Amino acid sequence: MLPADRAPHFVKSFERGLAVIRCFDADHPARTLSEVAHTCDLTRAAARRLLLTLADLGYVHQDGRLFRLTPRVLELGYSYLSSYTLPELAEPHLEQLVARVRESSSLCVLDGDDIVYVARVPTRRIMTASITVGTRFPAYVTSVGRVILAHLPDEEVELRMEQAELKPLTDRTITSPDALRAELCRVRRQGYAVVDQELEEGLRSVAAPVRDRGGEVVAAVNIAVHAGRNSVDSVRNDLLPHLLATVAGIEGDLRIANPGRGT
């Protein structure tokens, strides 16, 4: 969430270039010039200049009327991930957790209004959407997102609630700001979040926060299960203890990690 009034240093053209990159996704891997202009709220001339610049730099490929991202865009995320200690520290713990519970587990961080997967160990596919490192979902509707949101300062939570666009992704999705506030308070008190089929029908997940050496919540780890195999009670009683033990192990490694590399 960015303020309406930009700072004097703000470079609008750079923002537009990033918007063009972000407009390509799993549902729209290829777009025409008109589609890019419409999606990014640009004139056709501006969209064309940005697309051709990205093509010159090797980030976009043009095939007739269609434009696609190239693998080179992975460099943008890799620079972050390769210098980020937390996913490296967490992955062995996630692998051990998945071996014990035989369900998928992921490590996520908050980015704007979304959570982003930065480490993942899958077992079987339980969602319609394919999840990989870099996948994003709205934070308000995920267990990892709620765990992180619940530990933000109260004033930031309130600002997010005022600006939130809570869309129903299933019949169970919380779409009331007041109900979501109450849920975040409950998550903060109990120290974990359970989300029952709010992101996708048939999907349940439980998440716990990961704190850095200063006690600040910097990420969250989840276990995701199919609702047909695991009740909400079994998620809490059988899976949550393993999840909390895994998070404790990650936090222990963070406390002794090289502080020069950061979390």
Side-chain angles (χ1 to χ4, degrees):
M1 285 181 272
L2 293 171
D5 297 328
R6 307 293 189 180
H9 61 259
F10 193 84
V11 181
K12 186 69 175 178
S13 59
F14 186 67
E15 179 193 32
R16 290 170 176 164
L18 293 175
V20 168
I21 291 175
R22 291 198 301 269
C23 82
F24 296 92
D25 55 27
D27 295 326
H28 306 92
R31 287 188 183 271
T32 65
L33 172 60
S34 297
E35 289 171 341
V36 171
H38 175 74
T39 302
C40 301
D41 194 22
L42 299 170
T43 65
R44 282 176 55 89
R48 181 175 181 275
R49 287 195 302 271
L50 290 167
L51 284 167
L52 293 180
T53 298
L54 290 168
D56 289 344
L57 294 172
Y59 294 112
V60 167
H61 172 70
Q62 183 177 4
D63 181 12
R65 297 176 58 248
L66 294 176
F67 294 86
R68 301 175 185 271
L69 296 181
T70 71
R72 189 168 189 178
V73 298
L74 295 174
E75 295 176 352
L76 302 176
Y78 182 75
S79 297
Y80 166 75
L81 291 174
S82 63
S83 64
Y84 196 60
T85 302
L86 184 51
E88 298 170 1
L89 292 178
E91 190 162 351
H93 295 277
L94 298 185
E95 291 173 350
Q96 294 170 15
L97 174 62
V98 169
R100 287 197 299 271
V101 302
R102 300 185 183 278
E103 300 289 356
S104 300
S105 180
S106 304
L107 174 78
C108 301
V109 298
L110 185 67
D111 181 27
D113 294 328
D114 297 335
I115 55 94
V116 182
Y117 285 71
V118 295
R120 175 167 170 77
V121 179
T123 51
R124 57 183 71 86
R125 183 168 173 174
I126 59 175
M127 288 191 67
T128 301
S130 177
I131 299 176
T132 60
V133 170
T135 295
R136 308 171 72 96
F137 288 117
Y140 74 92
V141 78
T142 64
S143 58
V144 282
R146 288 183 185 172
V147 159
I148 300 174
L149 291 174
H151 290 85
L152 293 175
D154 291 339
E155 59 272 18
E156 183 173 349
V157 172
E158 189 56 35
L159 178 62
R160 286 173 177 268
M161 290 299 98
E162 291 173 0
Q163 299 179 353
E165 185 178 0
L166 307 180
K167 298 179 180 179
L169 302 186
T170 74
D171 292 341
R172 299 169 182 258
T173 305
I174 293 177
T175 56
S176 161
D178 287 340
L180 184 56
R181 284 188 188 93
E183 179 63 17
L184 294 180
C185 288
R186 177 163 46 250
V187 169
R188 182 183 293 186
R189 288 195 306 271
Q190 67 190 16
Y192 66 90
V194 175
V195 169
D196 184 14
Q197 304 182 78
E198 295 187 47
L199 175 63
E200 182 173 308
E201 291 288 350
L203 177 71
R204 289 188 174 120
S205 65
V206 58
V210 176
R211 291 176 170 83
D212 63 14
R213 60 175 62 206
E216 180 180 355
V217 173
V218 293
V221 174
N222 79 346
I223 298 174
V225 302
H226 194 284
R229 297 193 306 270
N230 298 85
S231 67
V232 172
D233 285 342
S234 71
V235 167
R236 287 198 179 97
N237 298 331
D238 301 332
L239 300 181
L240 179 59
H242 293 290
L243 175 64
L244 295 177
T246 296
V247 167
I250 295 171
E251 292 177 340
D253 282 355
L254 278 176
R255 285 193 292 270
I256 60 175
N258 183 354
R261 296 189 62 188
T263 59

